[in-house]
Amino acid sequence: MAKSSPRKKRTQPEIPWSPRPEGSKDLVWRYPNNPILGRRAIPCAQAIYNSAVIPFEGRYVGVFRADHLNGMPNLHLGWSEDALSWKISNDPIKFTGGDAAYRSGYGYDPRVCRIGADYFITWCADYHGPTIGVAKTRDFRKFERLENAFLPNNRNGVLFPRRIGGKYAMLSRPSDGGHTPFGDIFYSESPDLCHWGVHRHVMSSGSLWWEGVKIGSGAVPIETDKGWLLLYHGVRSSCNGFVYSMGAALLDLEKPWIVRGRITGPILMPELDYETTGSVPNVVFPCATLHDEKDGRIAIYYGAADTHVALAFAWRDELVAEILKYPVGK
Amino acid sequence: MAKSSPRKKRTQPEIPWSPRPEGSKDLVWRYPNNPILGRRAIPCAQAIYNSAVIPFEGRYVGVFRADHLNGMPNLHLGWSEDALSWKISNDPIKFTGGDAAYRSGYGYDPRVCRIGADYFITWCADYHGPTIGVAKTRDFRKFERLENAFLPNNRNGVLFPRRIGGKYAMLSRPSDGGHTPFGDIFYSESPDLCHWGVHRHVMSSGSLWWEGVKIGSGAVPIETDKGWLLLYHGVRSSCNGFVYSMGAALLDLEKPWIVRGRITGPILMPELDYETTGSVPNVVFPCATLHDEKDGRIAIYYGAADTHVALAFAWRDELVAEILKYPVGK
Amino acid sequence: MAKSSPRKKRTQPEIPWSPRPEGSKDLVWRYPNNPILGRRAIPCAQAIYNSAVIPFEGRYVGVFRADHLNGMPNLHLGWSEDALSWKISNDPIKFTGGDAAYRSGYGYDPRVCRIGADYFITWCADYHGPTIGVAKTRDFRKFERLENAFLPNNRNGVLFPRRIGGKYAMLSRPSDGGHTPFGDIFYSESPDLCHWGVHRHVMSSGSLWWEGVKIGSGAVPIETDKGWLLLYHGVRSSCNGFVYSMGAALLDLEKPWIVRGRITGPILMPELDYETTGSVPNVVFPCATLHDEKDGRIAIYYGAADTHVALAFAWRDELVAEILKYPVGK
Amino acid sequence: MAKSSPRKKRTQPEIPWSPRPEGSKDLVWRYPNNPILGRRAIPCAQAIYNSAVIPFEGRYVGVFRADHLNGMPNLHLGWSEDALSWKISNDPIKFTGGDAAYRSGYGYDPRVCRIGADYFITWCADYHGPTIGVAKTRDFRKFERLENAFLPNNRNGVLFPRRIGGKYAMLSRPSDGGHTPFGDIFYSESPDLCHWGVHRHVMSSGSLWWEGVKIGSGAVPIETDKGWLLLYHGVRSSCNGFVYSMGAALLDLEKPWIVRGRITGPILMPELDYETTGSVPNVVFPCATLHDEKDGRIAIYYGAADTHVALAFAWRDELVAEILKYPVGK
Amino acid sequence: MAKSSPRKKRTQPEIPWSPRPEGSKDLVWRYPNNPILGRRAIPCAQAIYNSAVIPFEGRYVGVFRADHLNGMPNLHLGWSEDALSWKISNDPIKFTGGDAAYRSGYGYDPRVCRIGADYFITWCADYHGPTIGVAKTRDFRKFERLENAFLPNNRNGVLFPRRIGGKYAMLSRPSDGGHTPFGDIFYSESPDLCHWGVHRHVMSSGSLWWEGVKIGSGAVPIETDKGWLLLYHGVRSSCNGFVYSMGAALLDLEKPWIVRGRITGPILMPELDYETTGSVPNVVFPCATLHDEKDGRIAIYYGAADTHVALAFAWRDELVAEILKYPVGK
Amino acid sequence: MAKSSPRKKRTQPEIPWSPRPEGSKDLVWRYPNNPILGRRAIPCAQAIYNSAVIPFEGRYVGVFRADHLNGMPNLHLGWSEDALSWKISNDPIKFTGGDAAYRSGYGYDPRVCRIGADYFITWCADYHGPTIGVAKTRDFRKFERLENAFLPNNRNGVLFPRRIGGKYAMLSRPSDGGHTPFGDIFYSESPDLCHWGVHRHVMSSGSLWWEGVKIGSGAVPIETDKGWLLLYHGVRSSCNGFVYSMGAALLDLEKPWIVRGRITGPILMPELDYETTGSVPNVVFPCATLHDEKDGRIAIYYGAADTHVALAFAWRDELVAEILKYPVGK
């Protein structure tokens, strides 16, 4: 079911993997050695979570949300051979570009996306409220800051890994300036990664409780011949605050604002200690995937309890088949 | 102090029991092997909690709140010889009765009550907001759905185990449609389990913090010759959300809207890990008791952290004697 | 279109009337001498509004909301020959019935309904929150207090003027204890005006702004051969508070929880000074109608700005015909 | 002080005018015959307010917010010889462009802007929340709907009357979906009126009470040789809701996100009956100006109390001189 | 009933007066020529209201809340021969005292109190939130700023006109920093007008609606031989915001935290146009009285609709006698 | 850097201590055997936390917040030889002083301060809302209740350990009656510990997230020759409620309302299980220090998760030096 493309020829290092536990019928299962990162992983940080990884030149590079000892989140670069054991810089990423609009008191919840020879980081930057910061790199050494994609308040900006209809394409979630008790996913396009328009509504928060408050895109969508596979987070409100879980949907390949299918339930909910306990209890927040295009294995990186980076696994074709059992008539 | 009645002659299986720990003066103490149910107890469910059990034909039957993998709560039937080890159906209970008012997207927090030869389930159903669903069975195979007892919004409907003044009697807690920051217990009566009236205010949320936000009935009241023994939950608001604890009161036998006594403090607060950590931290939520009428031992089933079913124990006569130290002048 | 019934034979005094203004196409138009009651109409009251009138023994009797000089609302009786000029008692109505549940610190927004030889007042009473008080009279001298119809919180209880399916029938609007930012109309029935059940949802707040926040029944429904003609209020939220307007719907004759039609827009919105200015600006709140069954003229009594009683007119058959242009597929 | 430009050569009809009242030192004064439009100005509408006018082919054309009898706001076209007496169509403006993103349940608070030979309407449209609708016309007969400028939620989108740095330029006010208790003015630019970017913060809500809650652009900025003259609204919160007043600022000609000056106080506050009373009390909401470039007279069209269109006057050079007394160090 | 004291010997100019209207039984009635001040009474101000007056050297002096054209409130001095026609300075009062704690961006709702040869102004000043500013004068030319009386947030500070138990005494109303949805009156004492302590709760917001949200002291208490006569404001919440009315209570002469009586209803509610319409609809806010000690006539100055100064009248002994019909058992 | 004073001559028992862990660069580190107190430490209490200790007559005395089994907090006395192992009374402290203003339904978050020969307890008492209770003892046997320091609502009252400018001095945090989403630290002084005045603003909640919601004083300030060393708590709002961390600042010795320095980040955040899990997750709340004046070692007592007493350590001179890297220009 994987799309046949020249991308297959890149030599990608082996992705992390762990088979589905005996007897389990879950579509998504956890890495037994979770969490892989967490408290005090580098000297300057209290915790590392909600982070993105991508293959680059035969190994893995990651952009990590590191909450510093002063409590503020920053983006840090890390390198790994196996995508499990990480060497993370103790200094935040430095962006070139001196415009005042780019100066941000913080940066959090990064995603990384390859489009051709360019790699883009999108994240939650601060410009009179949270909005989508965008930066470009080719070598993960120099990072050029581009214009913020949207007016505040916005979060969870996720690029598509190729142009669609000749335009760059991004999903985002308009928000308010606080903990935002609402939120749908929208699609926008751009000829130049500077000016954005043709905004289209994609998905609303859901009718089931687990995603009844708001939703937000998670990982860069995976292209399949049935559509774009989108892993996202859904949020419910318990009497003790928000609970974040993971969901899955399939977007039309050429008109991604059309939802082809969407599993009604979550595919991963907070259950284990490192998900239910930490700086923010009960958070599962997907930010990135590694994908073996040949056999369809997917490794999902998700933040746990705003404290840890954890890992889960799934089969691409199983996810797609399951999603297609829940077609969406739009 | 137990009421002498023909009911004693029923052959009831032995109730679970564990003696009060050495040195403890607590009125209520926990089962050392808690929790007895929790995460993934059946394939379709993420967690089981806030559930009710009752003796039936020489063994035990339970109606369980099972939060499905799609995050929505449903009622499931289970059977046990010892009321500790449960065999729970993977399919939700099916009710007969096709009226549109009975179609509910969910069902949660069940209670089970025997009145003569009939067994009634009351629970939180959905009819333009949460309200009290009612169903009748004689065999725990066929379940006949009756009219919802009240207008929305209402939760925590608990029947009395016999008619009072010739009428069916129910406690309930008028609510709002969300997480409800208020709530008192009311008494209502019915000639036919269909039409309800003569609504009487029973108890307000309390003056002490632990029950300062709202209260709700827990288990079916236990008849004693001093009055109806009511175990209920009280809720306080911490700066991190609601905390649910267990309280005890005694209601007048023939005019149950008159409170004869009410312990000012809680009889069980969240303390142990399975109560302070889970999908909703810090919840102790009583839903049912098993009662040995001969010697007055009580086994209390309570939900823990919206994740587990746990068990605690008490002596009926001790509870009643303690409550009567706190008479309520109404 | 009026239903042929023995009631036509009662000698009803002429209803107030004023023809539709030249050039107007409005379905509902105002009495030119509005308001007919308001500030200081009786010595004990600051204002009179939201009140109900009904023909009785050849003249008119009214139950008035009089906000006393102490600011609290009370129900007062008044008499009139022409339903325009009123002689209102300076003493509140006294109800017999000593039950504590009937003692209310206030009473407001009354409706009056004849069912056979009995006249019923329903209003917003206080019993641990607002709920529906009910009283019966045959002579408008002695008023027997019946049980409150529902648990708090509820408002806008309106009886139907005959039994339906052998049962008394009432519309009401479950509320919260404050200014209630939500609210739908429900239908309930009772064999004895004491116990209520078989609750059915009738209408939700609307999709257009003018009734987007909540709705509530207004006047006792008028029976027509097309259905029950219901005048109700709809509420929108401006950036300066709530705005109340008047709407119209038609309910099925024998299953009144089925809406046969509902005009999408309001039929009267606050426009004139006595509607936009007063103790609560921008309120039009219908509570009663007088109806000439022979020719179909309707006089509508509505509260204006929580300060005045005003009067508007309409043709029954025009309203019904207009409503039927907006059928509701339920 | 007016900018010398070829635009002066257009034959513009005389603008409405009324001299400053004797003894007044106010910068802005009202038209004595206010309001010029209001309740029931056309058959289909309850009220007309918050509207924009512009000279076109020797007379005036206006785009009006008409709240229909069903309570929903729509955009209507009107024509006038003197900009005081208006003939307004009873049918809403019809836009070409069939994309689903353009279908809106309502349209309100229009502004009209000429850029070269094109005229643009911007207004508050509905696309999963309020956002900025954009349409183009050359003849005020055919109106072509363009892409919405931004993601929701946004309001008060106002175009500049020429390209700046080669780009179209718009001011807007990111909002929430309700009555929005916050709001600053931002600047965005576009190469094609479809894709928008390079977002810059312009002005925050103010330190004085009258504009302490939020601000929003009002009329299309007037170009002067000192900068862009911006009339805007500021909002304070009284204990009875929001109060809208009018303010004035001067933006840099080529970098309009730089504020050159801003009068600390309001230049018009609600005082007269048609401003303090109506559907929403205490609203003064500027939407358009007519400007005599030769002598610098300005006629300001503002909505009053969400019920009326009113008119006020000022001298351009006086406003600019006053603003420059309040330089803003950014 | 007036207290016999040397103060009677001061030559006080005649107070304004207008007899009770024919047929009225109201305890308090309005001045027919109301309002006496309002919009644009001085060039710098948009409105004047919530102000205090006092006799001084054979004529009257007033401290006025003037809302400037920039929307911010300031304190202004005025002089009058008859206390009806006022000459008000266009410049705010200047206070000596350079401490940073005294620098306030605004000043509002002043009260003036004579204690012996000193006159004190108390008002709502700004020191990290609203709190009670205090200033002293002997000649109404030089005003010495004293320490703010309390920590923020506080409003409605009113001094007693003599020491009690050897201490200065003040009533105040702890508040929040916004529109404060709660508020009781407290009593505090001071040896030196700098340090305040021995705080005592005096009165809660009331059980009747008109004062159900909060209360605040109004005028300087009038000493009678039955106790201190206190005119105060009470606030209710309508669905369109707050409504302010006037109430009356009697405090114990030597222990003023003991309430001797309190009329359950308001003695003046917003009814007339200048009270129901203006910058803040429906406000009656008493700030001062003039009192003819010989015959007991009282002239009450109150703010109306946050726009006007209005005047009402009452007989001291009637008020006291009425209050004593409502004794308060504390 | 420690101040040379006669106090050094008191024989103080050795303070608890544990060296900084190998490799750590943290300014503050935890006691490895944490927590030292918690659940059920005495029979009457569910948990002990947020407590203060002080050396007295060669050993240690503590005033503990014990949440009783009825859920209400009370102050209990305890004694210890090593300040680690505590013998705590099962009875709450009894205060002399019969004034009604002193009767409080609860007492919590105590601090203890020696001034000369007197020891003072300050805590959160209840007098129509939370406020600062004050009591004096010389022997920790008799406790004399003094006047409450401030009007409600106030919390976190902390005395300075000597008079400043001849006056007693206290820090406090004006609050609201609930969970208070705001809060700055203020300074007040008193000649007699009864009357308080000269209120000065000290510090606002911070610009970094960890203290963005509110701050409150923690331990009695430690006098150094660079200023008063203040340990305090700062609060952020996560989407699951408040998170409490510890901060440090230096106040001017003679004008303590002047901040000399303030570390921008927290010096201790919730990380370990006993801090992230318990009755209120994610709370670190400092209440007291023990200080070896000779070498500058500090033992910090802090409440953890509203459940435990925990201990951390620091070097005074390191803290002061670090703070001085963050000077505050006030």
Side-chain angles (χ1 to χ4, degrees), chain E residues 99 127-128 196 200-201, chain F residues 99 127-128 154 196 200-201:
Chain E
D99 193 289
Y127 180 66
H128 297 272
W196 293 88
R200 292 292 176 268
H201 183 260
Chain F
D99 194 289
Y127 180 67
H128 297 273
N154 205 315
W196 292 87
R200 292 292 177 267
H201 183 259

Side-chain angles (χ1 to χ4, degrees), chain B residues 75-135:
Chain B
L75 305 185
H76 285 237
L77 207 65
W79 297 91
S80 175
E81 299 298 324
D82 61 2
L84 291 168
S85 172
W86 289 90
K87 183 171 168 51
I88 301 174
S89 166
N90 198 43
D91 295 312
I93 293 174
K94 284 195 182 60
F95 297 101
T96 63
D99 194 291
Y102 303 162
R103 279 173 225 135
S104 185
Y106 55 77
Y108 63 86
D109 295 355
R111 276 76 165 192
V112 182
C113 182
R114 174 178 182 170
I115 305 177
D118 294 322
Y119 292 81
F120 296 94
I121 309 175
T122 56
W123 72 97
C124 189
D126 172 30
Y127 181 67
H128 298 273
T131 190
I132 307 303
V134 185

Side-chain angles (χ1 to χ4, degrees), chain C residues 76 217 275 278:
Chain C
H76 284 237
S217 295
E275 295 160 346

Side-chain angles (χ1 to χ4, degrees), chain A residues 183-199:
Chain A
D184 293 357
I185 296 175
F186 287 76
Y187 175 90
S188 305
E189 62 184 45
S190 172
D192 55 7
L193 277 168
C194 175
H195 302 90
W196 293 88
V198 198
H199 311 295

Side-chain angles (χ1 to χ4, degrees), chain E residues 99 101 127-128 147-152 154 167 172 174 184 186 188-191 194-201, chain F residues 99 101 127-128 147-154 167 172 174 184 186 188-191 194-201:
Chain E
D99 193 289
Y127 180 66
H128 297 272
E147 283 292 328
N148 294 328
F150 306 115
L151 286 175
N154 205 314
K167 301 281 183 60
S172 74
D184 293 357
F186 287 75
S188 304
E189 62 185 44
S190 171
C194 174
H195 303 91
W196 293 88
V198 198
H199 311 297
R200 292 292 176 268
H201 183 260
Chain F
D99 194 289
Y127 180 67
H128 297 273
E147 284 291 328
N148 294 328
F150 305 115
L151 286 174
N153 295 328
N154 205 315
K167 301 281 182 62
S172 74
D184 293 357
F186 287 75
S188 305
E189 61 185 45
S190 171
C194 174
H195 304 90
W196 292 87
V198 199
H199 313 296
R200 292 292 177 267
H201 183 259

Side-chain angles (χ1 to χ4, degrees), chain B:
Chain B
M1 190 179 283
K3 184 147 194 267
S4 173
S5 83
R7 254 171 291 161
K8 271 200 279 185
K9 277 157 212 146
R10 293 184 217 142
T11 62
Q12 178 181 309
E14 189 61 16
I15 72 170
W17 186 251
S18 160
R20 190 183 345 243
E22 285 289 319
S24 167
K25 292 183 176 172
D26 292 345
L27 280 169
V28 174
W29 58 95
R30 292 168 179 83
Y31 178 52
N33 297 329
N34 269 349
I36 63 168
L37 285 164
R39 296 274 189 217
R40 303 297 188 103
I42 52 176
C44 73
Q46 200 213 23
I48 292 185
Y49 57 98
N50 297 3
S51 301
V53 305
I54 200 165
F56 181 72
E57 295 184 348
R59 48 183 185 149
Y60 289 100
V61 63
V63 179
F64 293 91
R65 172 178 180 162
D67 280 8
H68 281 206
L69 295 178
N70 72 355
M72 299 304 290
N74 284 272
L75 305 185
H76 285 237
L77 207 65
W79 297 91
S80 175
E81 299 298 324
D82 61 2
L84 291 168
S85 172
W86 289 90
K87 183 171 168 51
I88 301 174
S89 166
N90 198 43
D91 295 312
I93 293 174
K94 284 195 182 60
F95 297 101
T96 63
D99 194 291
Y102 303 162
R103 279 173 225 135
S104 185
Y106 55 77
Y108 63 86
D109 295 355
R111 276 76 165 192
V112 182
C113 182
R114 174 178 182 170
I115 305 177
D118 294 322
Y119 292 81
F120 296 94
I121 309 175
T122 56
W123 72 97
C124 189
D126 172 30
Y127 181 67
H128 298 273
T131 190
I132 307 303
V134 185
K136 186 167 77 170
T137 187
R138 290 213 161 183
D139 54 10
F140 286 96
R141 296 191 191 173
K142 288 186 215 144
F143 297 87
E144 178 192 0
R145 186 83 185 259
L146 309 183
E147 283 291 327
N148 294 327
F150 306 116
L151 287 173
N153 294 328
N154 205 315
R155 291 191 182 91
N156 295 307
V158 176
L159 282 167
F160 283 79
R162 64 165 171 84
R163 297 188 189 210
I164 299 175
K167 303 280 184 59
Y168 293 97
M170 196 190 290
L171 300 172
S172 75
R173 208 274 309 288
S175 303
D176 69 18
H179 293 303
T180 313
F182 62 86
D184 293 357
I185 297 176
F186 287 76
Y187 176 91
S188 305
E189 61 184 48
S190 172
D192 54 8
L193 276 168
C194 173
H195 302 90
W196 293 88
V198 199
H199 312 296
R200 291 292 177 268
H201 183 260
V202 180
M203 307 201 310
S204 294
S205 61
S207 57
L208 295 194
W209 290 357
W210 74 274
E211 57 171 349
V213 170
K214 58 181 173 179
I215 55 174
S217 295
V220 167
I222 296 172
E223 191 168 7
T224 77
D225 52 10
K226 304 293 190 196
W228 295 101
L229 172 59
L230 176 66
L231 302 182
Y232 67 99
H233 67 260
V235 180
R236 86 171 171 103
S237 168
S238 87
C239 66
N240 274 342
F242 287 160
V243 177
Y244 285 71
S245 302
M246 194 191 308
L250 204 63
L251 310 183
D252 186 85
L253 273 185
E254 295 311 316
K255 297 179 177 174
W257 57 90
I258 298 176
V259 183
R260 290 293 168 207
R262 178 179 178 184
I263 301 177
T264 55
I267 57 175
L268 196 75
M269 295 176 83
E271 284 190 31
L272 299 197
D273 272 2
Y274 57 88
E275 296 160 345
T276 62
T277 306
S279 296
V280 181
N282 286 305
V283 177
V284 157
F285 191 92
C287 288
T289 58
L290 294 176
H291 173 211
D292 185 320
E293 293 193 23
K294 293 185 304 296
D295 60 10
R297 289 175 302 138
I298 302 176
I300 307 167
Y301 288 79
Y302 67 97
D306 277 22
T307 304
H308 315 281
V309 176
L311 199 49
F313 304 107
W315 290 100
R316 177 195 60 213
D317 296 352
E318 273 186 20
L319 278 175
V320 170
E322 181 71 13
I323 292 170
L324 290 174
K325 294 178 187 168
Y326 301 88
V328 175
K330 193 167 185 169

Side-chain angles (χ1 to χ4, degrees), chain C residues 21-271:
Chain C
E22 284 289 317
S24 168
K25 293 183 174 172
D26 292 344
L27 280 170
V28 174
W29 60 94
R30 292 169 179 84
Y31 178 51
N33 297 328
N34 269 350
I36 63 168
L37 285 164
R39 296 274 190 217
R40 302 302 188 100
I42 53 175
C44 74
Q46 202 215 20
I48 292 185
Y49 57 98
N50 297 4
S51 301
V53 305
I54 199 165
F56 182 73
E57 295 184 349
R59 49 182 182 152
Y60 289 100
V61 63
V63 179
F64 294 91
R65 173 178 180 161
D67 280 9
H68 279 206
L69 296 177
N70 72 354
M72 298 304 289
N74 283 272
L75 307 185
H76 284 237
L77 207 65
W79 296 92
S80 174
E81 299 298 325
D82 61 1
L84 291 168
S85 171
W86 289 90
K87 185 170 167 54
I88 300 173
S89 167
N90 199 43
D91 295 313
I93 293 174
K94 284 193 183 63
F95 297 100
T96 62
D99 193 289
Y102 302 163
R103 278 174 225 130
S104 183
Y106 54 78
Y108 63 86
D109 296 356
R111 276 75 164 192
V112 182
C113 183
R114 175 177 179 170
I115 305 177
D118 294 321
Y119 292 81
F120 295 94
I121 309 175
T122 55
W123 73 97
C124 189
D126 171 30
Y127 181 67
H128 297 274
T131 190
I132 308 303
V134 186
K136 185 168 79 170
T137 185
R138 291 214 160 182
D139 55 9
F140 286 96
R141 295 191 192 174
K142 288 185 214 141
F143 297 86
E144 180 194 358
R145 185 82 185 258
L146 309 183
E147 283 292 327
N148 294 327
F150 306 115
L151 287 174
N153 296 326
N154 205 315
R155 292 191 180 92
N156 297 306
V158 175
L159 282 166
F160 283 79
R162 64 167 171 86
R163 297 188 188 210
I164 299 174
K167 301 282 183 60
Y168 292 97
M170 195 189 292
L171 300 173
S172 74
R173 209 274 310 285
S175 303
D176 69 18
H179 292 302
T180 313
F182 62 88
D184 293 358
I185 296 176
F186 287 76
Y187 176 90
S188 305
E189 61 184 47
S190 172
D192 54 8
L193 277 168
C194 173
H195 304 90
W196 293 87
V198 198
H199 312 297
R200 291 293 177 268
H201 183 260
V202 180
M203 308 201 307
S204 294
S205 60
S207 57
L208 295 195
W209 288 358
W210 73 274
E211 57 172 350
V213 171
K214 58 180 171 180
I215 56 174
S217 295
V220 168
I222 295 173
E223 190 168 6
T224 76
D225 52 10
K226 304 293 191 196
W228 295 101
L229 172 59
L230 176 66
L231 302 182
Y232 67 97
H233 66 261
V235 180
R236 86 172 170 105
S237 169
S238 87
C239 66
N240 275 343
F242 286 160
V243 176
Y244 284 71
S245 302
M246 194 191 307
L250 203 64
L251 311 182
D252 186 85
L253 273 185
E254 295 311 315
K255 296 180 176 174
W257 55 89
I258 298 176
V259 182
R260 291 292 167 206
R262 180 180 178 184
I263 302 177
T264 54
I267 57 174
L268 196 75
M269 294 176 84
E271 286 191 27

Side-chain angles (χ1 to χ4, degrees), chain F residues 63-106:
Chain F
V63 179
F64 293 91
R65 172 179 179 161
D67 281 7
H68 279 207
L69 295 178
N70 71 356
M72 298 303 290
N74 283 272
L75 307 185
H76 284 238
L77 207 64
W79 296 92
S80 174
E81 298 299 324
D82 60 2
L84 290 168
S85 171
W86 289 90
K87 183 171 167 53
I88 300 174
S89 166
N90 198 43
D91 296 312
I93 294 174
K94 283 193 182 61
F95 297 100
T96 63
D99 194 289
Y102 302 161
R103 279 174 223 132
S104 184
Y106 55 77

